[in-house]
Amino acid sequence: MKLNLMQVVVDYLKARPDEKFTARQIAEWIVATYPQECQAKKARSKSLQTDADLLQQIVAEIGAHHRDLQRKHPELKTTEGRPRRYYYSQLSDSDEVAVAEREEMTPAAGSSRPKLDEQALYPLLSQYLWEEFGVFSKRIDEKRSSNKHGPNGNRWLYPDVVGMEDLGKEWHREVRDCVTQYSDKRTKLWSFEVKLLINRSNVRECFFQAVSNSSWANFGYLVAAEIGGTDTLKELRMLFAAHGIGFIKLDVENPADSQVLIPARERDEIDWDMVNRLATENRDFLDYVKLVKQFYQTGEARPADWDVPELDD
């Protein structure tokens, strides 16, 4: 019997609502569940020589036809980024965001990692920033802010995480000293707004929140553990063209595999007036400014003062 591959995919996901699977995970299940049909598929093909070829062909077909499947079955959804994950859900996009923020984010199928809330993402981001870019990062807790402007006076004002990049870490000491005496730049400052889930229901709100609270920095990024929908990343790229905020897909299973899907556009100058307001009204941000100042005074940044992983000797 010839296998109706796409219908099998739909039935598989429908039987496991809200669980997310990669195309390879689905393909492996199909090969194990329908061995005779899959071997017949291989026999009909002139290009499929091995079982590995067959598996890869099924993976490719799932990826090639996922948009057609979604048109026929709106409940079939995907995440963006790599690897794309497929799932079946009757929740609307806005309801998915509400569930993620109210309850917790469920890890991928087969993962041993516990459920995550947004607070758990900050150290994972810090690990990625340190290992990938050598950026010293620090958490900013908006609860440590003054409230003298009223309940909404600080809305979208503070980023979740800030960072400092040492431009001269590979320079000769004489060059670093020269730059210091020349009063030229030794750092670039980074700002990050972190979310559990971004999809079409909240992408613009999240993006403009990042625009608002990253306006002072050299680089501003929106970060998400999951990005859902087929056009969400396209929307982010259009918004980036106008505002320059980048996007990082944070891999919660292995932070080293996180991806900068949209590099931020650099701003040449720091908005020191905004930095002053943030430092005046938030103790964490004031501590961040003190650490940057200390770096300029000493030429050294101590990892123990920042939210970076412990370093090997």
PDB file of all heavy atoms in Angstrom, residues 59-70:
ATOM      1  N   VAL A  59      12.226  13.466   5.447  1.00  0.00           N
ATOM      2  CA  VAL A  59      12.450  14.755   6.118  1.00  0.00           C
ATOM      3  C   VAL A  59      12.268  15.905   5.132  1.00  0.00           C
ATOM      4  O   VAL A  59      11.604  16.907   5.430  1.00  0.00           O
ATOM      5  CB  VAL A  59      13.862  14.797   6.738  1.00  0.00           C
ATOM      6  CG1 VAL A  59      14.197  16.211   7.228  1.00  0.00           C
ATOM      7  CG2 VAL A  59      13.977  13.807   7.888  1.00  0.00           C
ATOM      8  N   ALA A  60      12.850  15.757   3.947  1.00  0.00           N
ATOM      9  CA  ALA A  60      12.774  16.813   2.932  1.00  0.00           C
ATOM     10  C   ALA A  60      11.332  17.026   2.468  1.00  0.00           C
ATOM     11  O   ALA A  60      10.897  18.169   2.264  1.00  0.00           O
ATOM     12  CB  ALA A  60      13.664  16.466   1.752  1.00  0.00           C
ATOM     13  N   GLU A  61      10.569  15.957   2.311  1.00  0.00           N
ATOM     14  CA  GLU A  61       9.188  16.088   1.855  1.00  0.00           C
ATOM     15  C   GLU A  61       8.315  16.769   2.905  1.00  0.00           C
ATOM     16  O   GLU A  61       7.440  17.573   2.568  1.00  0.00           O
ATOM     17  CB  GLU A  61       8.617  14.708   1.497  1.00  0.00           C
ATOM     18  CG  GLU A  61       9.224  14.120   0.232  1.00  0.00           C
ATOM     19  CD  GLU A  61       8.615  12.784  -0.139  1.00  0.00           C
ATOM     20  OE1 GLU A  61       7.495  12.484   0.328  1.00  0.00           O
ATOM     21  OE2 GLU A  61       9.263  12.028  -0.888  1.00  0.00           O
ATOM     22  N   ILE A  62       8.555  16.468   4.165  1.00  0.00           N
ATOM     23  CA  ILE A  62       7.802  17.144   5.231  1.00  0.00           C
ATOM     24  C   ILE A  62       8.070  18.648   5.182  1.00  0.00           C
ATOM     25  O   ILE A  62       7.155  19.468   5.250  1.00  0.00           O
ATOM     26  CB  ILE A  62       8.177  16.570   6.607  1.00  0.00           C
ATOM     27  CG1 ILE A  62       7.705  15.119   6.726  1.00  0.00           C
ATOM     28  CG2 ILE A  62       7.565  17.413   7.732  1.00  0.00           C
ATOM     29  CD1 ILE A  62       8.198  14.414   7.978  1.00  0.00           C
ATOM     30  N   GLY A  63       9.347  19.019   5.035  1.00  0.00           N
ATOM     31  CA  GLY A  63       9.687  20.440   4.963  1.00  0.00           C
ATOM     32  C   GLY A  63       9.130  21.120   3.726  1.00  0.00           C
ATOM     33  O   GLY A  63       8.667  22.261   3.785  1.00  0.00           O
ATOM     34  N   ALA A  64       9.146  20.415   2.597  1.00  0.00           N
ATOM     35  CA  ALA A  64       8.701  21.025   1.344  1.00  0.00           C
ATOM     36  C   ALA A  64       7.203  21.251   1.303  1.00  0.00           C
ATOM     37  O   ALA A  64       6.728  22.181   0.640  1.00  0.00           O
ATOM     38  CB  ALA A  64       9.126  20.140   0.174  1.00  0.00           C
ATOM     39  N   HIS A  65       6.442  20.440   2.021  1.00  0.00           N
ATOM     40  CA  HIS A  65       4.977  20.500   1.916  1.00  0.00           C
ATOM     41  C   HIS A  65       4.296  21.106   3.148  1.00  0.00           C
ATOM     42  O   HIS A  65       3.064  21.079   3.234  1.00  0.00           O
ATOM     43  CB  HIS A  65       4.419  19.094   1.684  1.00  0.00           C
ATOM     44  CG  HIS A  65       4.826  18.500   0.378  1.00  0.00           C
ATOM     45  ND1 HIS A  65       4.351  18.958  -0.833  1.00  0.00           N
ATOM     46  CD2 HIS A  65       5.687  17.485   0.081  1.00  0.00           C
ATOM     47  CE1 HIS A  65       4.887  18.246  -1.819  1.00  0.00           C
ATOM     48  NE2 HIS A  65       5.706  17.356  -1.289  1.00  0.00           N
ATOM     49  N   HIS A  66       5.094  21.655   4.078  1.00  0.00           N
ATOM     50  CA  HIS A  66       4.447  22.081   5.323  1.00  0.00           C
ATOM     51  C   HIS A  66       3.493  23.263   5.118  1.00  0.00           C
ATOM     52  O   HIS A  66       2.472  23.364   5.798  1.00  0.00           O
ATOM     53  CB  HIS A  66       5.501  22.414   6.392  1.00  0.00           C
ATOM     54  CG  HIS A  66       6.156  23.749   6.242  1.00  0.00           C
ATOM     55  ND1 HIS A  66       7.256  23.956   5.446  1.00  0.00           N
ATOM     56  CD2 HIS A  66       5.859  24.956   6.796  1.00  0.00           C
ATOM     57  CE1 HIS A  66       7.628  25.212   5.524  1.00  0.00           C
ATOM     58  NE2 HIS A  66       6.797  25.853   6.316  1.00  0.00           N
ATOM     59  N   ARG A  67       3.774  24.138   4.158  1.00  0.00           N
ATOM     60  CA  ARG A  67       2.861  25.258   3.927  1.00  0.00           C
ATOM     61  C   ARG A  67       1.540  24.768   3.331  1.00  0.00           C
ATOM     62  O   ARG A  67       0.468  25.274   3.683  1.00  0.00           O
ATOM     63  CB  ARG A  67       3.509  26.303   3.022  1.00  0.00           C
ATOM     64  CG  ARG A  67       4.617  27.098   3.712  1.00  0.00           C
ATOM     65  CD  ARG A  67       5.171  28.182   2.805  1.00  0.00           C
ATOM     66  NE  ARG A  67       6.236  28.917   3.445  1.00  0.00           N
ATOM     67  CZ  ARG A  67       6.060  29.996   4.211  1.00  0.00           C
ATOM     68  NH1 ARG A  67       4.833  30.447   4.416  1.00  0.00           N
ATOM     69  NH2 ARG A  67       7.082  30.618   4.754  1.00  0.00           N
ATOM     70  N   ASP A  68       1.603  23.789   2.420  1.00  0.00           N
ATOM     71  CA  ASP A  68       0.370  23.220   1.878  1.00  0.00           C
ATOM     72  C   ASP A  68      -0.440  22.554   2.984  1.00  0.00           C
ATOM     73  O   ASP A  68      -1.677  22.670   3.023  1.00  0.00           O
ATOM     74  CB  ASP A  68       0.702  22.186   0.789  1.00  0.00           C
ATOM     75  CG  ASP A  68       1.305  22.827  -0.452  1.00  0.00           C
ATOM     76  OD1 ASP A  68       1.041  24.030  -0.677  1.00  0.00           O
ATOM     77  OD2 ASP A  68       2.043  22.139  -1.173  1.00  0.00           O
ATOM     78  N   LEU A  69       0.239  21.865   3.880  1.00  0.00           N
ATOM     79  CA  LEU A  69      -0.455  21.221   4.991  1.00  0.00           C
ATOM     80  C   LEU A  69      -1.149  22.242   5.880  1.00  0.00           C
ATOM     81  O   LEU A  69      -2.274  22.029   6.333  1.00  0.00           O
ATOM     82  CB  LEU A  69       0.544  20.408   5.825  1.00  0.00           C
ATOM     83  CG  LEU A  69       0.971  19.051   5.284  1.00  0.00           C
ATOM     84  CD1 LEU A  69       2.011  18.429   6.201  1.00  0.00           C
ATOM     85  CD2 LEU A  69      -0.224  18.120   5.148  1.00  0.00           C
ATOM     86  N   GLN A  70      -0.472  23.373   6.122  1.00  0.00           N
ATOM     87  CA  GLN A  70      -1.054  24.384   6.997  1.00  0.00           C
ATOM     88  C   GLN A  70      -2.269  25.053   6.368  1.00  0.00           C
ATOM     89  O   GLN A  70      -3.179  25.475   7.075  1.00  0.00           O
ATOM     90  CB  GLN A  70       0.011  25.421   7.367  1.00  0.00           C
ATOM     91  CG  GLN A  70       1.045  24.868   8.336  1.00  0.00           C
ATOM     92  CD  GLN A  70       2.140  25.860   8.626  1.00  0.00           C
ATOM     93  OE1 GLN A  70       2.884  26.272   7.747  1.00  0.00           O
ATOM     94  NE2 GLN A  70       2.242  26.266   9.870  1.00  0.00           N
TER      95      GLN A  70
END
